[in-house]
Structures are given as structure tokens and as C-alpha cells.
Amino acid sequence: MRRKSRKSKWLVNTVLAIICLIWTIPTLGLLVSSIRPAADILSTGWWKVIPHRGWTTAEQLQLPKDTDLRKPIAIQDKTYTDDELRSGVEADGKRLIWENRRARLINVQEKAWTSHMEFTTQNYETVLGGKNYSITMPDGSTKTEKGSGMGQSFWNTLAVTVPATIIPIFIASFAAYAFAWLRFPGRRTMFVIVIALLVVPMQVALIPILRDYTSLGLNGTYFGIWLAHTAFGLPLITYFMYTSISQLPKDLFESAFIDGASNFTIFSRLILPLSVPALASISIFQFLWVWNDYLVSLIFLGSRPEVQVMSMNIANLVGSRGNDWHLLTAAAFISMLMPLTVFFALQKYFVRGMLGGSVKG
């Protein structure tokens, strides 16, 4: 029995280690890529920082300027085509490849241990401080201006996420307590309606709400985006909190009522302290959803720089032609820091909250 128990434990630990490794490798790759020069990011994978055997340039050959690339090209008593030199051709343990085709310059490469260990903080500086843009003025002079960085969008996202997390959880906790322990007309019907809202796609409500926001002047305001996230998050949060609060021992409430405690006293003195793990768990989910949201913020808040959130700012970093996509590595890692901080700060409650209600009594 002990031997079987050890084997099963070893198997479980191995599987968990593999899963953790699979989840960790992309994050490690993102971190390494974010501190590599743009040229290295565009040309080689992040794993090239690990020492490996690769082609390194030993010498360069200068062909005559008038070499016709449409004909076979003679190099060291052999001939090659332009296509072969584009992709690289191996000969006598060496590789010939174009360094500069226009200048008729060829690299002669050899296999050797190498690594791309060049690191820089330029990507983070550009993302946080803004990219420099050269503008040609009417008189022909060139003017350099700095674009907006992620600093403003970071605070905008924080201003949206924190209230949009606290408000629905606060309302849903009261509603869950009422559905679980209070008796009033229409309680079951209202609870069924809340559950039914879970299956309604969010997209079907965007246009009607946008029309109402426009008529009320709420579009493009923080208050409007708080209301939108609260409305979209309430059904799930209410159901989640209900499953936790409804499993609390009934004796607690009977004792409190006998002692003359009001519903508000019971909620604030008993329900909230006992529901901390569930509150922490649903807070993580709501925070992550709002922090990474793009669609709702784009529709109800807009993309103006003074209110633009990080998800929209990151999407704009690549440029209209996608020529700056290497900045996404640094921007994505910056956007991950706050959710990771929240998760690790509340992780001790996370498992307890997820398991809440699984054992009754």
C-alpha cells in the first residue's frame, strides 16, 4: 500500500510540475523578449539567449559591383544562384549567405557556440515614456515629438478597475444574503432571473446601453464605465456569493436573531468576516476581467488619451503598419504586473474561497 501511495504521489507531483513548467515557459519567454534589442526580437527567438551551436560570421566576401545576380554567381571556384544565397547554402562545413545583397557582400559562416546575450531597457523606456516621432514641417525642417507613454493609461485603468471591482461585489453581497436567508415575495423568481442573466451574451446589450448613455451624457465618463462593468458582473458575482453564504450554519443566524441583531448587523458582523475567502476569490476574477477588458472600455469610455485604458494603448503600440510590434513584449509584461500583484496578495484566500461550500456544516 505504501509503495502504491508513493507511486501515485510521485505521478501527481510530476504532472503538476509539468503543468507549472508549461505555464511558466511563456512568461519567461515574454520577460526575456522584453529586455532584448528590437533587432534581436525581430530576427531570433528568445531561446537564442541560451548558449547553443549556431552559424557565426568568420569572414566576408566582397563580390564585384557589376555581378549579375540573374546568372550563376562564382564564389571560390563554385557557382551558386541568388536564391541559394538568400536562404544560405552549405559548402565544405561552411555556409554562404547574403549580408548585403545590394552591396554584393556575402557572409562566410561557421558553426560555433554562440548566444545572443545582449539586453536593454529601451523597450520599457519607449513604452513608459513614449516613442519619438519625426515630423516634417512645411518649411522642410524636421521636428521630433514624443508620443504618449503608458503612464496615463495605467492610472486610467486603475481608476476604472478598482471601483468596477468594489461596487458590484458590494451590491452582490447584499443581494446574495437576501436570496439566501431572507424571505420576501418573489425571491425565487428574482433569483432565477439573476441566474438566467448569466447566459445572456454581453454583446447584445452594448448598442441599447450606448444609446441610453448618449442621451444621458454618460458616454465617455468613468461613472458610465463603472455602471457598465457593475451591470455585466453582477449576475456571476451574486451567484458566486450566494453559493458561499447559503452554506453558512443556520444556527449562527438563529442565535443572532435571538440576541436582537438586525439584518445589517448580521451581515456586517457575521456574513462579511466569514465570507472573506469567497470575496477574495471573486475579487480576483472581477479585477482580472475589468483590467484586461478592451471592448467595454472602447465602447463606453472611448480611446481619447486622457481616458484611454492600457488594453487600448497596447493595441496602438504596434503602429498602423505593425512595425513596432516588438514593443508589445514590454507592454504586455507591464500590464501583467498589477494582476499578478493582486493574485499573489490574495492567493491564500483563493483556494479557500473556491472550496467554500463544498463541505456543509
Side-chain angles (χ1 to χ4, degrees), residues 259-279:
D259 292 338
S262 63
N263 285 316
F264 182 79
T265 301
I266 293 174
F267 179 81
S268 59
R269 299 292 182 86
L270 292 178
I271 300 297
L272 289 183
L274 293 174
S275 302
V276 168
L279 290 170

Side-chain angles (χ1 to χ4, degrees), residues 44-45 47-56 112-116:
T44 60
W47 53 88
K48 295 296 183 180
V49 301
I50 303 174
H52 62 283
R53 287 188 63 83
W55 293 106
T56 59
W113 283 98
T114 182
S115 64
H116 298 270

Side-chain angles (χ1 to χ4, degrees), residues 287-298:
F287 187 93
L288 293 179
W289 184 75
V290 178
W291 183 271
N292 295 320
D293 169 69
Y294 179 87
L295 180 61
V296 177
S297 297
L298 178 63

Side-chain angles (χ1 to χ4, degrees), residues 68-69 71-85 89-92 94 96 106:
D68 190 351
L69 302 183
K71 298 180 180 180
I73 303 171
I75 302 174
Q76 297 177 343
D77 300 330
K78 295 184 179 180
T79 57
Y80 307 97
T81 64
D82 180 42
D83 291 336
E84 290 176 334
L85 293 176
V89 57
E90 296 186 29
D92 300 328
K94 298 181 179 180
L96 303 178
I106 294 178

